[in-house]
Amino acid sequence: TFLNTREWKYAGYFNRMKQSVAMTWDPNGAARSRDPTGERFLYKDRVTVLAITLNSEGGLTDAHVVKTSGVDFLDRAAIEAFQKAQPFMNPPRGLADASGAIKFTFGFYLEVGSPGLRLFRGPAQ
């Protein structure tokens, strides 16, 4: 059934990861010193998508930008959020490939005029 697909099967793990990353991601803090009024960089919505690789213990082994927000320091803030939030404990064995690596994309959405920030998990790579 649809609920048995990879995306739904491991939703609990990715939701815990999303919460951990959200607690460490501070794009507004990164922007304040560079753009106090928000007119230079934060005049439009920004999306950063990262390719993430974890080891079998949930430690981050790679994070790189696959879709840039167009603002370098926001992209760096996304990578730093993953670095600070790791390790992501108890990764399900079914997520790992033959070498033990867990690979997926993860998005950061900064919406102009919105009080909240959104994180999303993209399709597996």
Side-chain angles (χ1 to χ4, degrees):
T1 67
F2 183 72
L3 293 177
N4 289 333
T5 65
R6 187 173 193 248
E7 298 300 313
W8 288 100
K9 188 173 184 179
Y10 303 115
Y13 181 71
F14 287 113
N15 285 335
R16 288 190 309 273
M17 178 184 299
K18 179 180 163 182
Q19 290 171 348
S20 296
V21 172
M23 291 185 337
T24 62
W25 184 46
D26 183 20
N28 292 324
R32 262 185 234 110
S33 63
R34 295 169 181 88
D35 186 14
T37 64
E39 294 174 0
R40 185 169 175 205
F41 299 114
L42 303 180
Y43 61 91
K44 68 177 187 173
D45 297 351
R46 300 287 183 171
V47 176
T48 300
V49 178
L50 302 180
I52 301 294
T53 304
L54 305 178
N55 61 28
S56 60
E57 289 81 41
L60 183 68
T61 59
D62 185 44
H64 63 273
V65 176
V66 293
K67 180 181 183 294
T68 182
S69 66
V71 180
D72 188 48
F73 68 83
L74 291 177
D75 295 344
R76 281 194 312 273
I79 291 172
E80 289 168 5
F82 250 93
Q83 291 169 335
K84 290 175 186 174
Q86 70 162 328
F88 304 100
M89 304 306 288
N90 303 316
R93 291 179 193 237
L95 284 174
D97 64 15
S99 69
I102 300 167
K103 297 179 181 184
F104 56 92
T105 57
F106 198 93
F108 296 77
Y109 182 62
L110 179 59
E111 186 175 13
V112 174
S114 173
L117 308 170
R118 288 192 281 166
L119 302 170
F120 59 92
R121 200 177 95 56
Q125 287 190 348

